[in-house]
Amino acid sequence: MMQMMKTNNSREIAFECLQKVFKHKAFSNILLNEISKKDIPQKFKNLVFAIVHGTIINKILLEKTVSKLIDNKKTNLDIQILLWMSAYQIRFLKTIPLYAVVNEAVSIAKKINPRLSGLVNATLKKVINNEQELFSFNELSEEQRVIIENSLPESFYNLFKEQYGSKIAMKLAKDSTKKPSIYFRVNTLKISFEDFFQTYKQELSLIKTFTKDCLITKVPIVQSRMYAEGLITVQDAASINVVNILDPKLNDHVLDMCAAPGGKVTHISSKLKNTGKVIACEINESKIKLIQQNIDRLGCSNIELICKDATSMKFEEKFDCILLDAPCSGFGVFKRKPEIKLKGYTKNKINEIIQLQSNLLDNAYQNLKVSGEMVYSTCTINKLENQNQIEKFLSRYSNMKKIYEEQLFGYENNTDGFYVCKMIKE
Ligand SMILES: C[S@@+](CC[C@H](N)C(=O)[O-])C[C@H]1O[C@@H](n2cnc3c(N)ncnc32)[C@H](O)[C@@H]1O
């Protein structure tokens, strides 16, 4: 195995990331976060991000295209990954010189196995010369074509079609390859929404959105001064929408049962203007530090952080308001975490998650005051974890009433797909 950890070459770095994703099931957002800290020019980083994200998002399309030219069984996975990422650049990154794509791929191939560099060279020249034909799947039905062109595993398409019909399933397939918008939340503990908007609307090309406290920008903002000072935090509009629906009131006693990395709990804190008390619970100890960093950066002073299993914790005092932003399949975040899409749909794993959600809901009920309100949310569009889960919950507790329910698919406003249900304990 070649050693490339110390390289500054964008394509070598991208290749190494993709190996980790495809061979070792690593998550690209974690790898890319590490790369964003590397001391290399921003334009090199941008190329790495584009290649890694684009190759994962389009993996099925790239694999089917490349396999028209090579025998997958006779070609090792490293060479296939190299061909997928190079075919991605040829097809989708039109400003990159084609000779650079081929030369760099050949030079990486020489490090993997010098005998295969000729194969890489010849295959990529064929992709360049026959691009339109190789990337077209006109012989297939429209449904089949759309799922290949958008690299959606058939198991997902079938699940969405069964739950919502083919029209919505097709829209979901097409949406899964879109570039997500950069949404963020203005931290009203430090600046009012209008002041922030007026001050930075030009500099950050700001656009208002469908949900309160949330803006869109075209400029990367994680490295910005406004971010470091805690004026803003990056969060998808659909996620911001959840706490807007929860709508906790000043001085409320609030429980967030599953809090990491802290996007929603810090939003709750800002809604309360640091009054009342918020208990933020998270089972995973390694994520506690992340929540604390967000709490400190955003200036939240009413949050108590606890590391516990939220299926069984009990409190002396019950809560006015509970958020259960449950662990879920993540079928609403394909655009942001394309690895989830590539894993395909397996019933057993989902059944475990559904049971955990159900146990969490039962304990939320136990900890909620009479007249208290709770929100159950997930970043999935899977009905079994959403509407069906809530129907079963409501049938277990006759004094729980649904007061609001919303399923965002993600294609409406280019957000994540999110389910939100607000209930009251009578
Ligand atoms: C969807 S994420 C929460 C996102 C968070 N609300 C936010 O907005 O930043 C779900 C979290 O629940 C945590 N979790 C899973 N099982 C749990 C349990 N039994 N008790 C508490 N937390 C749990 C996971 O570690 C994960 O961090």
Side-chain angles (χ1 to χ4, degrees):
M1 169 61 132
M2 60 180 174
Q3 291 295 312
M4 294 198 302
M5 288 301 283
K6 291 193 176 64
T7 181
N8 278 346
N9 176 301
S10 307
R11 290 184 182 82
E12 288 189 2
I13 298 172
F15 175 68
E16 186 178 306
C17 274
L18 289 167
Q19 281 181 310
K20 288 182 181 154
V21 170
F22 292 126
K23 295 171 80 172
H24 309 293
K25 300 191 177 355
F27 274 96
S28 61
N29 56 337
I30 297 170
L31 300 173
L32 293 176
N33 190 30
E34 284 308 307
I35 288 162
S36 70
K37 295 177 197 154
K38 264 178 106 108
D39 186 20
I40 52 173
Q42 188 59 44
K43 70 174 188 184
F44 289 9
K45 290 181 192 170
N46 292 347
L47 182 58
V48 176
F49 295 165
I51 295 174
V52 170
H53 201 69
T55 305
I56 299 169
I57 278 210
N58 295 289
K59 191 249 182 182
I60 293 178
L61 171 68
L62 296 166
E63 186 179 20
K64 292 229 182 268
T65 300
V66 167
S67 68
K68 290 180 182 175
L69 299 169
I70 58 162
D71 184 344
N72 285 345
K73 290 197 196 88
K74 291 188 188 152
T75 321
N76 78 34
L77 186 54
D78 287 327
I79 292 292
Q80 288 183 44
I81 294 169
L82 181 61
L83 290 171
W84 301 337
M85 69 173 240
S86 305
Y88 168 74
Q89 295 166 70
I90 293 167
R91 179 69 172 166
F92 294 98
L93 301 184
K94 293 293 183 193
T95 54
I96 292 186
L98 294 171
Y99 69 84
V101 177
V102 179
N103 289 352
E104 297 262 354
V106 168
S107 118
I108 295 173
K110 281 182 183 156
K111 293 183 190 171
I112 302 170
N113 181 347
R115 280 182 300 137
L116 295 174
S117 60
L119 171 82
V120 168
N121 188 26
T123 308
L124 292 180
K125 288 199 168 137
K126 284 184 197 157
V127 175
I128 292 169
N129 293 330
N130 306 288
E131 185 194 324
Q132 293 309 333
E133 186 192 327
L134 288 169
F135 276 94
S136 91
F137 294 87
N138 290 338
E139 71 284 6
L140 302 177
S141 69
E142 194 196 352
E143 248 181 5
Q144 285 299 322
R145 199 163 41 72
V146 166
I147 67 175
I148 289 179
E149 281 173 357
N150 293 284
S151 293
L152 186 72
E154 220 165 320
S155 55
F156 279 128
Y157 184 79
N158 293 338
L159 177 77
F160 300 155
K161 188 170 162 179
E162 184 191 313
Q163 296 191 346
Y164 299 106
S166 52
K167 211 169 145 197
I168 288 183
M170 292 272 258
K171 279 196 192 181
L172 287 166
K174 288 179 187 167
D175 189 58
S176 73
T177 38
K178 278 221 184 105
K179 190 169 179 230
S181 304
I182 310 175
Y183 285 102
F184 68 91
R185 175 166 60 82
V186 176
N187 177 22
T188 54
L189 284 175
K190 295 209 174 180
I191 187 167
S192 81
F193 180 81
E194 263 325 299
D195 280 356
F196 185 88
F197 181 70
Q198 294 307 334
T199 312
Y200 297 107
K201 72 177 170 203
Q202 237 95 53
E203 186 181 338
L204 298 177
S205 323
L206 297 176
I207 304 173
K208 290 189 178 175
T209 68
F210 67 93
T211 197
K212 206 166 172 270
D213 298 341
C214 174
L215 290 166
I216 297 187
T217 174
K218 289 207 163 60
V219 183
I221 44 170
V222 180
Q223 313 290 348
S224 70
R225 180 179 53 79
M226 294 75 104
Y227 183 88
E229 286 175 1
L231 302 187
I232 55 174
T233 197
V234 176
Q235 199 178 350
D236 190 81
S239 164
I240 295 171
N241 191 41
V242 170
V243 174
N244 286 337
I245 289 170
L246 182 72
D247 196 21
K249 302 289 181 291
L250 293 185
N251 297 309
D252 268 356
H253 186 202
V254 185
L255 171 65
D256 180 343
M257 297 175 72
C258 298
K264 296 186 190 68
V265 79
T266 52
H267 191 189
I268 292 173
S269 173
S270 75
K271 288 248 177 221
L272 295 183
K273 299 195 167 114
N274 270 337
T275 68
K277 186 158 184 77
V278 186
I279 305 286
C281 172
E282 168 58 50
I283 196 168
N284 190 332
E285 210 175 335
S286 66
K287 295 184 183 176
I288 294 284
K289 206 170 128 203
L290 211 58
I291 312 177
Q292 190 62 54
Q293 281 167 355
N294 278 319
I295 290 175
D296 294 343
R297 185 175 61 83
L298 296 167
C300 306
S301 59
N302 58 349
I303 301 177
E304 185 187 323
L305 201 44
I306 57 172
C307 186
K308 281 214 165 106
D309 180 351
T311 58
S312 54
M313 63 185 174
K314 296 273 171 285
F315 296 88
E316 276 175 18
E317 214 186 312
K318 293 191 191 286
F319 292 85
D320 301 305
C321 213
I322 294 183
L323 173 63
L324 172 51
D325 186 37
C328 71
S329 59
F331 298 167
V333 291
F334 289 162
K335 282 181 284 200
R336 240 175 263 289
K337 296 186 185 163
E339 296 86 353
I340 298 178
K341 162 164 122 169
L342 290 183
K343 283 190 185 129
Y345 171 64
T346 43
K347 244 185 185 154
N348 285 351
K349 185 92 187 71
I350 298 301
N351 286 341
E352 276 174 34
I353 294 175
I354 291 172
Q355 188 54 52
L356 172 61
Q357 292 163 344
S358 172
N359 297 344
L360 287 163
L361 274 162
D362 285 341
N363 204 31
Y365 175 83
Q366 299 304 333
N367 285 298
L368 187 66
K369 263 186 191 164
V370 171
S371 301
E373 292 178 345
M374 69 183 249
V375 158
Y376 172 79
S377 58
T378 68
C379 61
T380 188
I381 54 172
N382 180 13
K383 273 191 178 170
L384 301 173
E385 299 168 66
N386 298 341
Q387 292 89 341
N388 298 7
Q389 180 72 275
I390 288 301
E391 267 168 41
K392 286 188 192 151
F393 173 67
L394 294 174
S395 71
R396 293 198 291 280
Y397 302 99
S398 59
N399 63 338
M400 286 302 298
K401 292 281 171 299
K402 182 160 75 183
I403 44 182
Y404 184 78
E405 188 178 36
E406 181 176 81
Q407 175 70 69
L408 290 178
F409 288 103
Y411 51 67
E412 305 90 338
N413 296 294
N414 197 17
T415 64
D416 292 341
F418 245 92
Y419 172 79
V420 193
C421 183
K422 185 170 184 174
M423 292 161 278
I424 185 163
K425 188 173 188 176
E426 290 181 340

